[in-house]
Amino acid sequence: MTLSEYRKKRDFERTPEPAGKKRAKKARDGIFVVQKHRARRLHYDLRLELSGALVSWAVPKGPSLDPGAKRLAVRVEDHPLDYADFEGVIPGKEYGAGEVIVWDKGTWKWTPTPGRAHARNAAEALGAGKLDFTVSAKKLEGRFVLVRLGKEPGEKNWLLKKVRDEDAKPGSDVTSERPESVLTGRKIEDLRSSAG
Ligand code: MN
């Protein structure tokens, strides 16, 4: 994992986003975070800590607890670990300009399907295009799966699905039921007035 693409796209003299200094700690579940980002198009950024960075996907419709919902998740550049707490406004002309709130935050761990794991660890599973994981956060709980569309390692399009388990809520719409930041309780509209 490297942050060079992340850093290349941003001018840290101008944007309040972190440049990325925080180091990974050992022996704990990885950071799980979903940020709601009102850029040119509203989307949700799903980020999973892996190998010292946050592996990231932009999910246009956001995650769902409905196991019937398949959500497009577009892989984007890895982000630094300290990005997980970033909430604020990316200024007008900068990359990703717009408001960001921490919509959900917690931990995740790789949970391969018993007897069907072809990968030895989460990094291998990611490379193979199928990542089964369990989330423990404030709004999202339980098992999810990310599946890459197509075999090419460079393919950016993945699908995010809730696995049918005791945390699944068929027919629910968690993004509209719980729009607020888990850090500050603010809605994304509350940041707009402070945009400068
Ligand atoms: Mn984004």
Side-chain angles (χ1 to χ4, degrees), residues 124-144:
E124 276 192 17
L126 180 76
K130 187 169 183 283
L131 189 62
D132 297 275
F133 60 103
T134 302
V135 170
S136 176
K138 300 229 167 75
K139 299 173 186 172
L140 302 180
E141 285 286 343
R143 297 186 61 205
F144 289 80

Side-chain angles (χ1 to χ4, degrees), residues 38-51:
R38 201 185 69 91
R40 266 175 298 183
R41 285 194 177 187
L42 180 75
H43 61 274
Y44 294 78
D45 291 298
L46 166 68
R47 310 190 197 280
L48 305 176
E49 178 184 0
L50 188 64
S51 309

Side-chain angles (χ1 to χ4, degrees), residues 65-176:
L65 288 168
D66 183 345
K70 290 177 185 165
R71 295 291 160 86
L72 177 68
V74 181
R75 182 90 184 264
V76 297
E77 78 271 24
D78 297 344
H79 278 51
L81 294 184
D82 39 10
Y83 206 95
D85 291 316
F86 175 70
E87 181 165 303
V89 181
I90 303 168
K93 286 175 183 158
E94 303 309 305
Y95 181 75
E99 300 84 10
V100 176
I101 60 167
V102 178
W103 181 80
D104 201 13
K105 194 176 176 212
T107 59
W108 76 284
K109 61 182 169 197
W110 181 52
T111 46
T113 314
R116 291 189 57 197
H118 299 295
R120 287 171 297 180
N121 53 50
E124 276 192 17
L126 180 76
K130 187 169 183 283
L131 189 62
D132 297 275
F133 60 103
T134 302
V135 170
S136 176
K138 300 229 167 75
K139 299 173 186 172
L140 302 180
E141 285 286 343
R143 297 186 61 205
F144 289 80
V145 62
L146 273 161
V147 182
R148 192 173 62 214
L149 296 170
K151 293 218 187 318
E152 294 294 319
E155 169 66 53
K156 303 278 188 214
N157 291 333
W158 294 58
L159 283 180
L160 173 67
K161 288 185 287 184
K162 178 77 191 77
V163 173
R164 224 170 272 279
D165 63 8
E166 63 270 27
D167 298 302
K169 289 184 181 158
S172 80
D173 184 4
V174 66
T175 52
S176 56

Side-chain angles (χ1 to χ4, degrees), residues 17-38:
E17 297 165 291
K21 292 187 187 95
K22 205 177 268 184
R23 293 282 178 82
K25 295 184 192 108
K26 286 188 177 134
R28 58 162 173 77
D29 292 341
I31 297 166
F32 168 85
V33 66
V34 178
Q35 281 152 318
K36 186 176 181 179
H37 183 188
R38 201 185 69 91

